[in-house]
Amino acid sequence: MSSREGGRARPVNEGVFYNNPYGASQASVDPELIGSAIAQGQVPIVSPLVASASMQMQMLDIDSAAPALAKALAVSSSQQRPMAGTNGGFSLLLARLIMLGANDGISSSDGSFHRFINLQEDYDEVLNVCQQRESLQLMRTCLGILPPTAAGIVASVHSDPSLVIKGLISERPVSSQHQSAATAAKRRQEEANNARKLAELSKRGVPSYKPLPNYPFARVSNDKPNSANSPEQQLESADRPTQFTLLRHGFRIARHKTLDTCDLPQLRALLESSFKRTLDSSRYFDRLRHLEQAGGIEIIVAGDYQGAVIVTHEPITTMDKHLPYLDKFAVLPSVQGTGMADILWTQLRRACPSCMWRSRNDNGVNKWYFDRSHGHLRSRPLLVGEKGTRWVFFWYQAAEPGQRKLTTEEIHAGIAAANSIPPSFL
């Protein structure tokens, strides 16, 4: 498939895996052949084959092959032991592990679907209720070996490859994306054309090589198919929506309702490092303490203050109520690329089903906000000589049935309240 799409692939059918009687695991990996292919700009297609004591080739179980390969690649990406043939240029910083199987991703027995999983925080809870335990366990093992910037996807073998690749590049879980009618028709036409070409080649005596439908390491065979999907529904997939689960090794999450349980020096350092400005800490923390006693605050901290979300419940005097407001969204530059932003955003959506926030009109993060908001409003342009800041006001609405959504009146009142919030930085 890689060659058909214009890539350069090299099958590596043997010589990568071997039995190591002195190792902690039965399977060990010699990455030299992989490095040789990478050095020549080729994609190595590795078969999990190993020679037995009687020199018979055997298929390794995916639970042994995948962690062994991940460990070997992780070691080979270090500067101390660079992979042979790559001149030290091999890196796993953008490593992506794709696991294809019978299901669209990881789902619970009640039918709920997990679009994003922070393994450090969510693993035990998801493991107890999910139907794809083997996939989840294997992902946790492999992502625990690879660098923290690595990510994994669990998807169906019938998924639209372009959407899966889009999810890997954008580092965003795709909720549910349908192929357009034109795209689906074009794909079916291409498949029909390919079938005709193969038939013509066969008539001329040219052998055609077709992929095996159930190649052993293309799926995790022990996983249960979603009970909601019959075998017929699983096979009829050409026009089926693509959805998958995006996983990260992630970070532990701590939640605070008061500043008294927070490490304020670390929180200040995080905010200043993220925003690259000096925090007016005395004034800012005084404001949070006041709101803590009024409408309440929620501070979500990831890892060792490597990321944080601060939500305040702003008073709306005209309505005698408080509305959730995203006051700060901060990520340390050193953990960018680890999925921290998605982890924090998922935690924010859980804590606040509906929320509002503001961002400077020229903020480079606004594109990210546009993608995740349900609406926005720009403040008017400043007049010549007028002092102030031009803002973009964003909001998202509750997604689950029964959760309360913001009304139009509340959104306008929330914008007015956000516009009156004093600056946090000097």
Side-chain angles (χ1 to χ4, degrees):
M1 188 192 331
S2 175
S3 299
R4 185 186 68 200
E5 298 297 330
R8 299 176 62 200
R10 179 198 291 184
V12 184
N13 295 322
E14 55 183 288
V16 174
F17 294 94
Y18 64 95
N19 288 317
N20 182 4
Y22 305 104
S25 173
Q26 179 185 7
S28 294
V29 172
D30 181 356
E32 185 172 351
L33 291 176
I34 299 175
S36 175
I38 293 173
Q40 296 179 49
Q42 298 171 325
V43 178
I45 309 298
V46 181
S47 299
L49 299 173
V50 64
S52 67
S54 59
M55 299 308 293
Q56 297 294 315
M57 299 306 295
Q58 298 177 339
M59 183 74 71
L60 272 176
D61 185 87
I62 189 172
D63 293 330
S64 300
L69 185 59
K71 183 177 180 180
L73 294 179
V75 171
S76 298
S77 65
S78 67
Q79 294 299 318
Q80 291 75 25
R81 296 180 61 184
M83 183 178 289
T86 64
N87 298 319
F90 177 72
S91 173
L92 285 176
L93 290 178
L94 296 178
R96 299 294 182 260
L97 177 62
I98 304 175
M99 190 175 297
L100 301 177
N103 302 299
D104 287 331
I106 294 176
S107 59
S108 298
S109 54
D110 62 1
S112 59
F113 189 79
H114 300 277
R115 309 192 190 288
F116 181 83
I117 297 177
N118 171 12
L119 290 169
Q120 285 272 62
E121 182 70 15
D122 305 331
Y123 177 77
D124 290 334
E125 178 183 348
V126 176
L127 185 67
N128 288 332
V129 298
C130 79
Q131 300 186 87
Q132 300 80 24
R133 295 172 63 90
E134 289 80 8
S135 295
L136 183 64
Q137 291 168 331
L138 185 57
M139 272 289 182
R140 185 197 191 200
T141 299
C142 292
L143 291 179
I145 295 170
L146 296 171
T149 50
I153 275 184
V154 177
S156 166
V157 292
H158 305 298
S159 297
D160 184 336
S162 64
L163 296 181
V164 175
I165 296 300
K166 178 182 177 182
L168 287 174
I169 294 174
S170 64
E171 298 182 5
R172 264 191 82 187
V174 176
S175 57
S176 180
Q177 300 193 40
H178 294 261
Q179 299 177 49
S180 66
T183 301
K186 182 179 179 182
R187 170 173 285 188
R188 285 193 292 269
Q189 184 62 46
E190 289 178 349
E191 291 174 351
N193 292 339
N194 289 336
R196 280 195 295 270
K197 290 178 182 177
L198 288 172
E200 292 172 2
L201 289 173
S202 298
K203 290 179 182 178
R204 291 185 233 161
V206 180
S208 60
Y209 298 94
K210 298 180 181 179
L212 295 176
N214 290 319
Y215 211 49
F217 55 91
R219 60 189 176 90
V220 180
S221 57
N222 292 330
D223 279 348
K224 303 174 185 176
N226 290 334
S227 56
N229 294 339
S230 66
E232 292 79 9
Q233 289 173 318
Q234 293 171 14
L235 291 174
E236 295 173 359
S237 58
D239 299 316
R240 191 171 72 177
T242 289
Q243 62 179 10
F244 52 79
T245 300
L246 178 64
L247 304 95
R248 290 280 193 172
H249 183 64
F251 301 87
R252 286 287 182 183
I253 302 296
R255 300 167 183 84
H256 305 270
K257 297 283 187 180
T258 172
L259 289 179
D260 294 337
T261 59
C262 292
D263 187 326
L264 295 187
Q266 278 198 292
L267 183 58
R268 174 182 177 175
L270 166 61
L271 294 175
E272 292 184 342
S273 179
S274 177
F275 286 87
K276 296 181 174 59
R277 301 174 67 190
T278 302
L279 183 71
D280 188 350
S281 56
S282 177
R283 185 180 182 184
Y284 180 67
F285 289 140
D286 283 347
R287 174 178 130 77
L288 291 185
R289 289 191 186 280
H290 171 73
L291 290 172
E292 182 183 318
Q293 301 301 319
I297 63 174
E298 296 177 63
I299 301 176
I300 303 170
V301 177
D304 188 19
Y305 285 83
Q306 293 153 297
V309 165
I310 301 177
V311 176
T312 58
H313 293 268
E314 298 293 330
I316 308 297
T317 55
T318 58
M319 294 183 166
D320 192 27
K321 63 176 61 174
H322 294 79
L323 293 181
Y325 173 75
L326 174 57
D327 188 82
K328 293 288 181 288
F329 191 101
V331 175
L332 280 181
S334 60
V335 297
Q336 290 179 358
T338 62
M340 173 66 81
D342 278 322
I343 289 170
L344 288 174
W345 191 260
T346 300
Q347 294 296 326
L348 171 65
R349 291 300 305 261
R350 291 177 183 174
C352 299
S354 299
C355 192
M356 299 185 64
W357 70 100
R358 71 180 184 183
S359 176
R360 293 175 180 272
N361 187 63
D362 58 354
N363 189 344
V365 184
N366 284 348
K367 184 181 184 303
W368 196 83
Y369 286 149
F370 281 123
D371 287 343
R372 287 157 178 79
S373 66
H374 292 135
H376 71 277
L377 182 68
R378 295 182 188 271
S379 61
R380 64 170 178 81
L382 298 176
L383 301 175
V384 177
E386 183 181 7
K387 293 184 178 180
T389 302
R390 191 180 183 196
W391 300 103
V392 183
F393 299 95
F394 295 93
W395 61 89
Y396 66 74
Q397 297 282 25
E400 299 299 326
Q403 292 180 333
R404 186 178 174 278
K405 295 184 178 182
L406 298 170
T407 66
T408 303
E409 293 75 16
E410 288 174 336
I411 290 174
H412 283 287
I415 289 174
N419 204 35
S420 64
I421 295 175
S424 308
F425 296 93
L426 299 174

